[in-house]
Amino acid sequence: MTTDTVARTRILVVDPQPSLLAPLQVQLEDAGFELVLTHSALEAIEQTERCPPALAVLDFDLPGGTSGLRLAETLRRLHSIPVLFYSATIDEQALRAAEMVGALRALSKDMRIEEVVAAIQAATTRGRASLEQALDAWRSLDGETASAALADE
């Protein structure tokens, strides 16, 4: 994947202590991602309303009474934003909860930064690939089938 491919890919990172994410931030920016760092669910929702990201990377534990799980549900419901969790708190219960809210994956802050960057690149590529596949399928429909599909909606 080239830097040009992800240069416009905006990622929302929500962590109670975003300043501790400096090494990850540097690696993601070097990979060409645009990062928006916030520390709370409220800030995340405000940022998303301004310009929805291609992906949200959330901690499970957020300040202000809204958990990362609740934020994930909100982002997916309001804007269909895919979510990855990146947290120090990764246990079986957290993994099940992440799966239940539709998270793509839960990553431990103990992972090597390169592995986290690779997971984020894969998540953003998968989203673009799915969109491109849907558009290709739509384009492959002949005019009559396309008209029928539109009439069904």
Side-chain angles (χ1 to χ4, degrees), residues 30-119:
D30 285 351
F33 290 100
E34 175 190 349
L35 265 65
V36 176
L37 299 174
T38 67
H39 76 280
S40 71
L42 180 59
E43 266 187 302
I45 291 169
E46 289 171 355
Q47 286 291 333
T48 300
E49 291 297 323
R50 282 186 220 130
C51 185
L55 177 71
V57 178
L58 313 177
D59 196 310
F60 285 109
D61 303 312
L62 299 175
T66 301
S67 72
L69 292 166
R70 169 94 17 112
L71 178 58
E73 289 173 330
T74 301
L75 294 175
R76 289 180 54 76
R77 185 181 73 248
L78 296 178
H79 301 285
S80 300
I81 297 170
V83 171
L84 285 176
F85 282 98
Y86 183 57
S87 183
T89 310
I90 303 283
D91 56 20
E92 278 302 313
Q93 183 179 357
L95 290 173
R96 280 193 302 276
E99 185 178 319
M100 288 182 67
V101 298
L104 300 174
R105 192 165 172 197
L107 308 170
S108 171
K109 288 184 178 176
D110 293 335
M111 290 176 71
R112 292 181 34 237
I113 295 296
E114 296 81 10
E115 292 176 77
V116 176
V117 171

Side-chain angles (χ1 to χ4, degrees), residues 126-143:
R126 181 177 4 175
R128 274 197 306 277
S130 296
L131 177 60
E132 289 170 10
Q133 287 173 345
L135 289 173
D136 287 345
W138 177 255
R139 288 182 193 120
S140 70
L141 295 173
D142 62 28

